[in-house]
Amino acid sequence: MNLIAKTQKNKNKIIAAILFIILISFSICLLIITVLYSQAFKRCTSKDDKVYSLVKKYPNLVYKRVQFKSNAGQVLRGYIYYKKNNIEAKKGLIVVSHGFGGTHINYLDEINYFTDKGYYVLGFDNTGCGESERDSMIGLPQTVADLDYALRFIEKNNEFKNMPILLFGHSWGGYAVCTVLSYSHKIAGVVSCAGFNSPYEIVKTTAMDSYGRWGKVILPYLSLLERIKSGKLANVSAIDGIKKSSVPVLVIHSKDDDVVKLENSIYEACKHLNKTNVSLKLFDNKGHDIFLSDNALKYIRQKRNEFKELTSKYGSYKKIPKKILKDFQASINRKLMSEIDQDMMEQIVEFFDNAIELQKNRSM
């Protein structure tokens, strides 16, 4: 074998070794990110039925359990809510899309308010949340698929035939109610509170905040996993749905939201969007729980500060004595903590009422 052939053979071996190392490194990184991703989206709420005990707090609030299948055949469960004395007053059906890591029962105060105003409400739990199936929430885009199948369920149900359909979403749900406008459902109006515009943007910010410069390294792997798990949905944003639709949309956000930062919000994406069907409302100090009253927000901040003092005093949450922790939990005024902003809720209901009238006028 001549010298040139030997040199070429050695080069090929080196290239093969480099490619092998790259492949192994990629596989290890992908495996690590997959584990982290799975932890982030694992089921974090139990399947216990808490609705019965919680609904008792709301006079005349009636609920009926429903279930339907989502995109991969998993069963989603929820409830139709209405007021006993308003059984014939079907102004419309509001579908509530809940926030990340929670369930629809986190919004029972809002649901109760809507039913007081003559609306029926469908509150359901997303995949891997509450009473619905699966041990994983799968990924951020899954909420859009779940909402899509909830709307399919409604459209096939004669009970809701000819009833105007409206969407109300918060945070993760705020993203869902706008993104689902890319589909062909007949929606009368949408209210999105504290929603993020796209999964990629919120994942990017979270990665950078959590891992610093390493966030740039893991971001491509996170994006790849999102595409593998969610397919085409991973590339669809809230602004895409809004641009395709003529449905009235109200987007609400707060400048000091530290969960969905303003730069990642639907509000920011719509700021320069010249569409007459889109209304924007920006607050200065409502935080992420944007529909709570000022008194509730002030009280929540107070209790958070008290809890920080406890963890600082004892070193960590786990080191707080059980009696001290129990006393702190007992001191929480949960009614005040969940008090809704009446003015904001009135504006939301007025927006829904007007959206229904607009839909009726268009169909005449």
Side-chain angles (χ1 to χ4, degrees), residues 49-258:
D49 182 3
K50 300 176 183 177
V51 172
Y52 174 74
S53 59
L54 291 172
V55 167
K56 289 190 291 185
K57 297 191 304 181
Y58 305 95
N60 299 317
L61 183 61
V62 180
Y63 67 97
K64 179 175 68 175
R65 199 181 199 214
V66 295
Q67 66 179 43
F68 51 90
K69 290 184 178 180
S70 191
N71 59 325
Q74 70 273 30
V75 175
L76 305 185
R77 297 183 177 91
Y79 296 84
I80 301 294
Y81 296 90
Y82 57 91
K83 278 295 160 69
K84 190 181 295 183
N85 54 354
N86 279 346
I87 193 166
E88 298 300 327
K90 298 181 179 180
K91 286 169 64 174
L93 175 67
I94 298 173
V95 183
V96 173
S97 185
H98 66 76
F100 184 79
T103 73
H104 83 276
I105 63 174
N106 298 120
Y107 302 88
L108 277 180
D109 287 312
E110 291 74 26
I111 289 171
N112 182 62
Y113 186 91
F114 290 141
T115 59
D116 275 339
K117 300 300 179 180
Y119 283 98
Y120 273 47
V121 178
L122 167 61
F124 71 96
D125 299 335
N126 284 341
T127 298
C129 299
E131 296 182 40
S132 294
E133 290 185 345
R134 297 289 286 268
D135 291 326
S136 167
M137 293 179 280
I138 301 177
L140 291 177
Q142 183 60 37
T143 183
V144 182
D146 290 343
L147 181 55
D148 171 38
Y149 276 80
L151 293 171
R152 295 186 194 195
F153 163 74
I154 291 167
E155 290 159 358
K156 292 176 182 177
N157 195 320
N158 287 330
E159 183 180 356
F160 310 115
K161 191 175 182 180
N162 300 322
M163 190 183 291
I165 307 301
L166 306 117
L167 306 180
F168 175 82
H170 174 239
S171 192
W172 194 27
Y175 152 73
V177 296
C178 291
T179 308
V180 83
L181 292 174
S182 294
Y183 295 74
S184 57
H185 300 292
K186 188 178 179 182
I187 306 298
V190 173
V191 173
S192 172
C193 300
F196 57 85
N197 180 49
S198 79
Y200 176 81
E201 290 171 8
I202 201 76
V203 166
K204 179 182 177 182
T205 299
T206 303
M208 297 300 291
D209 288 348
S210 301
Y211 302 105
R213 67 180 66 179
W214 287 103
K216 290 183 179 180
V217 176
I218 68 174
L219 185 60
Y221 296 96
L222 288 171
S223 298
L224 176 61
L225 272 177
E226 197 90 283
R227 289 190 180 92
I228 291 171
K229 289 178 175 289
S230 303
K232 293 179 180 178
L233 263 180
N235 299 319
V236 182
S237 65
I239 194 69
D240 293 330
I242 292 171
K243 284 179 177 178
K244 290 179 181 178
S245 176
S246 59
V247 170
V249 177
L250 173 60
V251 177
I252 308 172
H253 211 87
S254 183
K255 291 179 182 178
D256 66 338
D257 190 330
D258 59 355

